[in-house]
Amino acid sequence: MSKEFICSSCNFKTQYHYFGKKPPFVKSLVMMEDAYIMKDPFSSEGGIIPLGSHCTICGKSVCLSLECSIFYTKRFCVHCVKENISEFPLEIQTEVMKKKNK
Ligand SMILES: [Zn+2]
Ligand SMILES: [Zn+2]
């Protein structure tokens, strides 16, 4: 049975096979965060593609695209980063400001 991952920010939608830190189909891999993971269909060695995770603040699922989320010790969606911008270090602030001006 396939499950579906949907990014709440860009609406990117795809199937995923596993959610968590240790995908059972990959040996000796532990993710830095709970993540939606899909098996890489083009890899014969059990490669994986991390798709996204949950925002630590609002709990929405977001993809790993830089347009949608940022990983700074934990996963944050861009929306929450903007709302709490002063809590983040300067390099993250600069990064997010760059996006705004696009
Ligand atoms: Zn997205
Ligand atoms: Zn959020």
Side-chain angles (χ1 to χ4, degrees), residues 15-87:
Q15 282 182 17
Y16 72 95
H17 299 107
Y18 173 79
F19 175 77
K21 279 200 180 72
K22 292 172 102 177
F25 34 86
V26 195
K27 281 177 232 134
S28 67
L29 178 99
V30 181
M31 307 287 294
M32 306 247 304
E33 57 181 331
D34 284 331
Y36 290 96
I37 287 163
M38 105 186 247
K39 293 178 198 168
D40 185 350
F42 304 108
S43 164
S44 51
E45 290 133 39
I48 55 147
I49 305 174
L51 300 168
S53 188
H54 288 283
C55 169
T56 305
I57 297 175
C58 67
K60 286 181 182 165
S61 48
V62 278
C63 72
L64 301 187
S65 151
L66 288 172
E67 302 293 319
C68 296
S69 71
I70 274 180
F71 188 81
Y72 171 66
T73 68
K74 287 168 180 162
R75 176 71 47 192
F76 299 95
C77 73
V78 168
H79 179 75
C80 288
V81 174
K82 283 178 184 166
E83 299 237 303
N84 303 276
I85 192 75
S86 55
E87 314 274 329

